Amino acid sequence: MRQSFFYGTVILILAGGVTKLFGFAHRIVLSRIIGAEGMGLYQMVVPLLYFLITVTTFGLPVAIAKQVAETEAAKDHRQTRRFLFVSLLFASGISLAVCTLLLFFSQQLAALLFADKRAHIVMLAAIPIIPIASISLVLRGYFQGKQNMIPTAVSQLLEQVVRMALVAVMTMTFLDSGIEYATAGAVASIIFGEAAGLLYIFWQYRKGSRKTAAQMLGRTFLTRVTASTSSMRQLVHVALPVTMSRVIGSIAYVLEPMIVPFALVIAGYAISDATGLYGQFAGMAVPLLLFPTFLTNSLSVSLVPAVAEAAYQKNAPLVHRRIYQAMRITLVIGAPCTVLLTVFAEPICALLYGSQYQEVGIILKGLAPFSVFLFFQAPLAAALQGLDYAQVVFRNTLIGAIVKILAMFVFTSQPGFGIYGTVIALNIGITLVTLLHFASLTKKIGFTVDILEFSKIGATMLVMGYSGSYITHHWLQGTTVASSLLVSVPVSCCLYLLLLIALRVLGKQDVKRIPWIGEQLAVFFPRR
């Protein structure tokens, strides 16, 4: 069932929000059962797991979404089947090869990668996740190319529900055998979640494409491979730069915990203090900064096939309209998130982490104003990928990563900056990559934005921030942190929404597109 760009985006945003909340709940439950020691083992293995899934999928979810969108626009269903077959073959082959290497060299890899040898058990439990997740992501990309976001949304929710239902049981079952086995049980709950998501999305495929599935299975394997050689080249053309972009991001992420503490020691901090400051930056402040990005990441998933389809049809006005629509949604959603994280950084951190971590609030306050650039980054990259400029995204990402890593060392090692040098470097990296993406899009297709409309949203941000700060410091002074946030956050958000309506940034036609409740809500909105 094909959906409009806006409808599919809203479905993914809603599913992403629920999934994010389930993910937080999963972490809370897990940390209460296995404690800090178990969470340490879990955190050693899970980032590696997701990095390997990124490698094994080889950028195929983005590539197949783009290519399927084009073949569907051309009504070439045979080519759609070829792209799906090649993607599944690629993902299965690479993931099985990676799993085989992990099984045969697990002891050596665990000794090389992990400080705690008990992580070896956890890593073994995680291996089956790789092929299941890889195949599931390819099938999601296929449905996204058909501009049907429901299978992706439902499979994500199903994964989290199954994980939440099983994590406590599987962890407690193995707790008596040792903390490493309990943690392995927790990782194994991810297997069942991923398997449930895969079964659902495969059922959706079989239900909607019985003829397609029969045609794929009705031909010999060698015949299908021979016929799909050109399709493979087309997929690799898109998938390789997407993969390289993600690998560059992962490498920068791996280098960061090595560089920042070392630079802090050069700046004069003791090793324990340097480790603690980096923990506050990367483990407390940055996750809060990244939390709202599920909104714009959902938007970017819908944008790739939508732009690819319009570009294939050589419909330049539609390409510009869809990209601008994405930019507008990003700013409308991202603006209040930026304001809330900036104005309420310290009380939010005090509420979540305790008053003893005042530094976290200050760090977040330094990062938050630049989060608006972070929100734009994924949709801009998605637009370039949809237009077949994935190599441009890779180039921009590489430049941003190099500048960020160099700036982190230079600024953080200065005694006058310390951890705030890391904050400056991250802000530089985020802003640079986003501006490079926007400049590339402008150069390639002449894309522009409506300055007046964006200025209106910027003005509402300032009013929202001022009102939230005024309410907190004048009307609610002396109240508890929780009470203050409970009043000032909703009031400032309502004011933001009312201003958007008054300035005719939001109108009846925008609200009508919201799935299920749009028609009812539109009654209360004026025409733009």
Side-chain angles (χ1 to χ4, degrees):
M1 182 180 70
R2 178 189 171 100
Q3 298 110 24
S4 70
F5 168 60
F6 188 88
Y7 189 96
T9 297
V10 172
I11 287 172
L12 287 177
I13 286 173
L14 292 173
V18 175
T19 301
K20 201 79 170 178
L21 291 173
F22 270 125
F24 269 111
H26 178 269
R27 290 239 169 188
I28 291 167
V29 171
L30 192 59
S31 63
R32 289 182 180 274
I33 297 173
I34 62 177
E37 189 179 3
M39 286 302 291
L41 291 171
Y42 186 85
Q43 279 302 116
M44 286 181 189
V45 172
V46 169
L48 173 66
L49 170 67
Y50 288 123
F51 172 73
L52 291 174
I53 291 171
T54 298
V55 171
T56 55
T57 52
F58 194 68
L60 288 170
V62 173
I64 192 173
K66 178 187 178 299
Q67 300 300 140
V68 167
E70 291 178 356
T71 55
E72 289 295 295
K75 309 292 184 190
D76 188 352
H77 303 300
R78 176 178 290 183
Q79 187 64 12
T80 297
R81 291 194 298 272
R82 285 176 181 162
F83 281 129
L84 178 59
F85 169 72
V86 169
S87 298
L88 289 172
L89 182 66
F90 235 83
S92 301
I94 297 173
S95 59
L96 288 174
V98 169
C99 290
T100 303
L101 288 172
L102 285 175
L103 280 171
F104 277 103
F105 300 103
S106 60
Q107 290 278 8
Q108 296 92 322
L109 284 170
L112 180 67
L113 297 173
F114 308 125
D116 194 323
K117 63 181 181 181
R118 293 175 299 176
H120 173 239
I121 301 295
V122 185
M123 186 179 75
L124 288 175
I127 290 174
I129 299 170
I130 296 171
I132 299 171
S134 299
I135 294 168
S136 182
L137 286 168
V138 167
L139 285 170
R140 286 179 189 173
Y142 166 78
F143 279 109
Q144 287 155 16
K146 285 179 166 285
Q147 297 188 52
N148 180 4
M149 304 302 164
I150 290 176
T152 296
V154 175
S155 63
Q156 286 176 342
L157 290 173
L158 192 59
E159 282 177 22
Q160 290 294 337
V161 168
V162 172
R163 283 173 65 178
M164 280 297 297
L166 294 178
V167 65
V169 175
M170 296 193 69
T171 307
M172 294 293 288
T173 301
F174 297 102
L175 195 58
D176 291 339
S177 301
I179 196 68
E180 66 272 31
Y181 291 97
T183 308
V187 170
S189 70
I190 302 176
I191 299 173
F192 290 98
E194 291 285 350
L198 175 59
L199 288 173
Y200 170 78
I201 206 164
F202 185 72
W203 172 74
Q204 280 285 342
Y205 172 72
R206 290 283 295 176
K207 185 180 76 168
S209 312
R210 291 185 189 277
K211 184 180 176 183
T212 301
Q215 287 172 320
M216 281 183 66
L217 296 171
R219 303 170 68 194
T220 65
F221 178 80
L222 186 60
T223 302
R224 294 200 303 274
V225 171
T226 305
S228 302
T229 305
S230 64
S231 303
M232 190 177 297
R233 284 197 295 269
Q234 287 176 267
L235 283 169
V236 170
H237 172 72
V238 179
L240 184 59
V242 171
T243 303
M244 293 306 296
S245 297
R246 291 178 178 174
V247 168
I248 289 297
S250 298
I251 291 171
Y253 184 66
V254 169
L255 288 175
E256 188 181 294
M258 301 176 189
I259 290 171
V260 174
F262 178 66
L264 286 170
V265 170
I266 292 174
Y269 290 86
I271 294 175
S272 58
D273 292 336
T275 304
L277 280 171
Y278 180 71
Q280 290 179 44
F281 169 80
M284 296 179 174
V286 171
L288 284 174
L289 183 77
L290 296 178
F291 179 79
T293 56
F294 76 86
L295 299 163
T296 50
N297 288 340
S298 300
L299 179 62
S300 65
V301 168
S302 300
L303 190 59
V304 171
V307 169
E309 179 192 52
Y312 180 81
Q313 295 169 340
K314 301 190 186 307
N315 190 341
L318 183 58
V319 169
H320 282 253
R321 186 163 72 249
R322 284 180 170 171
I323 296 173
Y324 182 74
Q325 194 177 16
M327 296 300 98
R328 186 167 167 271
I329 294 169
T330 298
L331 188 56
V332 167
I333 293 173
C337 296
T338 298
V339 171
L340 293 176
L341 288 173
T342 303
V343 174
F344 302 109
E346 291 172 88
I348 287 172
C349 291
L351 184 66
L352 292 176
Y353 302 124
S355 56
Q356 69 271 30
Y357 292 112
Q358 291 181 357
E359 196 85 22
V360 180
I362 300 170
I363 291 170
L364 181 60
K365 198 160 193 168
L367 292 169
F370 293 85
S371 63
V372 70
F373 291 100
L374 179 64
F375 300 144
F376 277 119
Q377 200 170 109
L380 286 170
L384 288 166
Q385 288 163 352
L387 292 166
D388 204 20
Y389 295 124
Q391 72 279 5
V392 175
V393 177
F394 165 62
R395 183 198 65 200
N396 295 343
T397 304
L398 178 61
I399 293 169
I402 292 171
V403 171
K404 183 186 77 170
I405 292 297
L406 289 174
M408 271 188 177
F409 180 77
V410 171
F411 284 114
T412 308
S413 60
Q414 300 299 314
F417 288 114
I419 195 64
Y420 300 106
T422 312
V423 171
I424 293 168
L426 183 58
N427 289 338
I428 290 171
I430 290 169
T431 306
L432 178 61
V433 173
T434 302
L435 292 178
L436 285 172
H437 285 349
F438 184 79
S440 299
L441 204 56
T442 301
K443 181 181 177 182
K444 297 294 184 183
I445 64 168
F447 177 74
T448 57
V449 297
D450 185 338
I451 299 298
L452 179 60
E453 187 169 46
F454 274 44
S455 298
K456 288 179 181 179
I457 299 171
T460 60
M461 287 176 66
L462 295 175
V463 174
M464 178 189 175
Y466 177 78
S467 63
S469 179
Y470 187 87
I471 291 167
T472 302
H473 293 106
H474 292 84
W475 294 359
L476 301 172
Q477 193 173 21
T479 59
T480 63
V481 171
S483 301
S484 176
L485 288 173
L486 201 60
V487 174
S488 52
V489 169
V491 169
S492 56
C493 286
C494 286
L495 179 61
Y496 172 77
L497 183 60
L498 289 172
L499 284 170
L500 290 184
I501 296 168
L503 293 171
R504 298 191 179 276
V505 175
L506 282 181
K508 192 181 291 288
Q509 65 274 35
D510 298 309
V511 180
K512 273 186 177 180
R513 295 173 182 160
I514 299 174
W516 308 302
I517 59 171
E519 290 289 341
Q520 292 76 16
L521 284 177
V523 176
F524 303 100
F525 285 76
R527 291 190 178 275
R528 287 182 62 205

